[in-house]
């Protein structure tokens, strides 16, 4: 392998920060109006470990830069899981179109 990988030393801080941010944004809560239904819980968040991806993307970034990257990756990954969970399995095309129209 001609290149080696490097890991950002601020990874643990980014894990804590991004999880706290996800919690503040409601990403670890049940979905409003849907008791018992959630996209992520603490375990799913921890297993996804998107902050680790960010730590490899920006191995030399500052703590603040890695936190931004980790939260951006959390947002994108959550959105990627959210949409099909709500509309894909039910094939609710009308609901999906309304959702996109208001974005």
């Amino acid at each position: 392998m001609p290149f080696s990988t490097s890991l950002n030393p601020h990874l643990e801080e980014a894990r804590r920060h991004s999880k706290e941010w996800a919690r503040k944004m409601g990403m670890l809560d049940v979905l409003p109006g849907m008791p018992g239904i959630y996209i992520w819980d603490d375990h799913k968040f921890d297993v996804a470990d998107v902050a680790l991806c960010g730590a490899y993307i920006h191995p030399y970034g500052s703590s603040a830069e890695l936190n931004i990257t980790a939260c951006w990756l959390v947002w994108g990954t959550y959105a990627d899981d959210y949409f099909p969970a709500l509309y894909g399995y039910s094939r609710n095309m009308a609901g999906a179109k309304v959702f996109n129209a208001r974005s």
Side-chain angles (χ1 to χ4, degrees):
M1 194 72 184
F3 304 101
S4 63
T5 59
S6 296
L7 186 64
N8 189 300
H10 306 291
L11 172 58
E12 289 306 318
E13 149 79 41
R15 283 177 172 147
R16 285 189 301 276
H17 177 82
S18 61
K19 189 171 189 176
E20 179 181 310
W21 180 81
R23 192 174 311 284
K24 285 181 185 176
M25 297 298 110
M27 294 177 182
L28 304 180
D29 297 339
V30 296
L31 296 175
M34 304 176 84
I37 306 293
Y38 57 87
I39 305 302
W40 288 349
D41 60 7
D42 284 277
H43 176 73
K44 284 186 177 184
F45 184 91
D46 293 342
V47 170
D49 201 3
V50 294
L52 178 63
C53 180
Y56 280 119
I57 290 171
H58 294 295
Y60 307 112
S62 69
S63 177
E65 290 169 332
L66 182 57
N67 285 343
I68 290 170
T69 298
C71 289
W72 184 88
L73 290 168
V74 166
W75 175 83
T77 305
Y78 183 85
D80 197 47
D81 291 351
Y82 179 90
F83 197 83
L86 259 55
Y87 304 110
Y89 301 117
S90 66
R91 300 199 182 278
N92 182 359
M93 187 61 77
K97 287 181 180 182
V98 168
F99 180 92
N100 278 331
R102 69 176 197 188
S103 297

